[in-house]
Amino acid sequence: MGKGNTMDSVGIAIILLFLFRQWTSSAGADTHWTYTGSVGQSQWSEYFPDCGGNKQSPINVETTQTQHDPSLTPMRPLGYRQLGKKPFTLHNNGHTVEMSLPDWMGLGGLPWQFTALQLHLHWGSSGDRVGGSEHTINGQRSAAELHVVHYNSELYTNVTTAKKRTDGLAVLGVLIETGEGTNPGFENIISYLGNIKHAGQTVSIPPFDVQSLLPVNLGRYFRYNGSLTTPPCYQSVLWTVFAESVTVSHEQLRKLETALFSSPVESHSLPLRDNYRNPQPLNRRRVLASFPLDTITMYSVGEVCAIVIGTLCGCIGLAAIIYFVIKTIRSKETEKEPKQDVVFKTTSDPEKEEATPQPEP
Ligand SMILES: *[C@@H]1O[C@H](CO)[C@@H](O)[C@H](O)[C@H]1NC(C)=O
Ligand SMILES: *[C@@H]1O[C@H](CO)[C@@H](O)[C@H](O)[C@H]1NC(C)=O
């Protein structure tokens, strides 16, 4: 190899490095961000200043630190069950799978009227062993998380202006766990992921009841002021994280974790997984709970079973003890005065019969 060749490759390397710098440092909406790597979540704030703010999302909800606010009424999804004629659109944007929502859908139960925009998901890569939810409850990460995004259509004319303002957005956070049965609501999305494997791809899907993605109990939730969990991390979100989680099957979670790529067609395939941001500092923010603290403890199915069985065993044990104590006392009493008992029984019975008037036929 000659000296000239080496100089050439060094030159090319320098040029490539320069182009790469240019590409990664072009701040704003064009910057290609990821969850790990050179523009990973710990670098977001270098390119998107709001990501370094003091009201960021997600957070860890420490239930004992929450404040019960009785004025927080149950969330009211508006038009979620209404299907319409137009199909829904499912899109792989390289960061998540996003479904646009029709503008007749909205959210009630908040200080303003909110209009629905889109929903999307965050997930992990290793089943429910580690989890891929963004919000954590008492340090526990769920398998995945659904976000339903709305904008304040009472104060702002469109999302472009709303998304940069405090109280501009309202997002519902639904924690997803795994269980045995297939979740038919989520199947409406998961069964089409194969059609949008690569970033930039879009597929039309039949409209479905979006409320079927939410937990049954919409009255128990945590509320706090936070941000978008992805760049540009605008601190404009009034968060509602439901206390009740929803369940998808292990197979559904596996499909979500493995179906998509964060890279476009005809490029090196990068799996789209672990698209969750770590919990951000709370910084003196209040986290409200719509329900009182003493009922906040959330039990898993296993724990509920253990409690029920434990209580049953306890009751049976106690009943057995009482039974034997009474039996012992009785047998002792009958040993002492067997006659009186017999006398009492024989004399009281005929008396009772005489006293009761016979009904006319
Ligand atoms: C959004 O609303 C603002 C202010 O009302 C307006 O200036 C802007 O053009 C609107 N943007 C879009 C995309 O409609
Ligand atoms: C969120 O911020 C608004 C002011 O922008 C305030 O009125 C409201 O009480 C805050 N909510 C919570 C849960 O702290």
Side-chain angles (χ1 to χ4, degrees), residues 157-161:
T157 48
N158 56 46
V159 60
T160 316
T161 40

Side-chain angles (χ1 to χ4, degrees), residues 7-248:
M7 293 294 278
D8 279 354
S9 33
V10 167
I12 288 166
I14 288 170
I15 290 165
L16 283 178
L17 211 70
F18 175 76
L19 288 175
F20 185 73
R21 269 312 297 173
Q22 287 292 100
W23 175 55
T24 54
S25 65
S26 59
D30 296 337
T31 302
H32 181 80
W33 57 270
T34 53
Y35 284 89
T36 53
S38 63
V39 196
Q41 47 183 307
S42 44
Q43 277 77 43
W44 287 355
S45 60
E46 293 171 27
Y47 305 91
F48 308 94
D50 287 24
C51 298
N54 58 2
K55 284 163 59 181
Q56 287 292 292
S57 292
I59 57 162
N60 171 45
V61 175
E62 205 57 58
T63 52
T64 55
Q65 306 293 309
T66 61
Q67 261 177 271
H68 175 217
D69 183 347
S71 74
L72 296 178
T73 54
M75 297 308 294
R76 280 188 296 110
L78 306 171
Y80 270 46
R81 294 195 186 281
Q82 201 178 313
L83 299 187
K85 290 203 178 74
K86 276 194 190 163
F88 287 166
T89 304
L90 213 54
H91 178 61
N92 176 345
N93 66 12
H95 305 295
T96 185
V97 48
E98 185 174 302
M99 191 177 93
S100 50
L101 295 172
D103 59 6
W104 68 72
M105 277 180 49
L107 206 51
L110 291 172
W112 299 277
Q113 202 58 242
F114 282 82
T115 299
L117 286 168
Q118 47 102 341
L119 60 78
H120 62 263
L121 293 150
H122 298 270
W123 58 88
S125 59
S126 51
D128 43 11
R129 275 181 291 134
V130 183
S133 73
E134 298 211 294
H135 287 94
T136 55
I137 312 268
N138 298 327
Q140 291 293 307
R141 191 179 292 287
S142 297
E145 186 168 336
L146 166 74
H147 290 160
V148 192
V149 184
H150 308 74
Y151 79 96
N152 188 332
S153 47
E154 199 172 316
L155 295 185
Y156 309 108
T157 48
N158 56 46
V159 60
T160 316
T161 40
K163 71 181 178 190
K164 295 172 189 167
R165 317 292 271 273
T166 315
D167 303 324
L169 302 176
V171 182
L172 300 179
V174 179
L175 299 173
I176 302 171
E177 304 285 358
T178 51
E180 288 312 312
T182 300
N183 183 314
F186 280 87
E187 198 58 16
N188 289 307
I189 295 173
I190 291 171
S191 62
Y192 292 96
L193 294 181
N195 299 62
I196 51 164
K197 282 192 164 302
H198 294 95
Q201 292 182 324
T202 297
V203 66
S204 290
I205 63 168
F208 64 93
D209 172 6
V210 177
Q211 199 164 326
S212 67
L213 304 176
L214 304 184
V216 176
N217 191 334
L218 302 177
R220 290 162 62 90
Y221 57 82
F222 303 104
R223 166 71 45 77
Y224 77 99
N225 284 321
S227 74
L228 301 175
T229 64
T230 56
C233 308
Y234 295 136
Q235 303 194 134
S236 54
V237 181
L238 188 56
W239 274 97
T240 302
V241 179
F242 290 111
E244 191 188 324
S245 53
V246 299
T247 305
V248 301

Side-chain angles (χ1 to χ4, degrees), residues 315-331:
C315 288
I316 292 168
L318 199 64
I321 290 167
I322 291 169
Y323 173 77
F324 283 115
V325 166
I326 290 174
K327 208 180 165 187
T328 314
I329 293 171
R330 281 246 177 105
S331 61

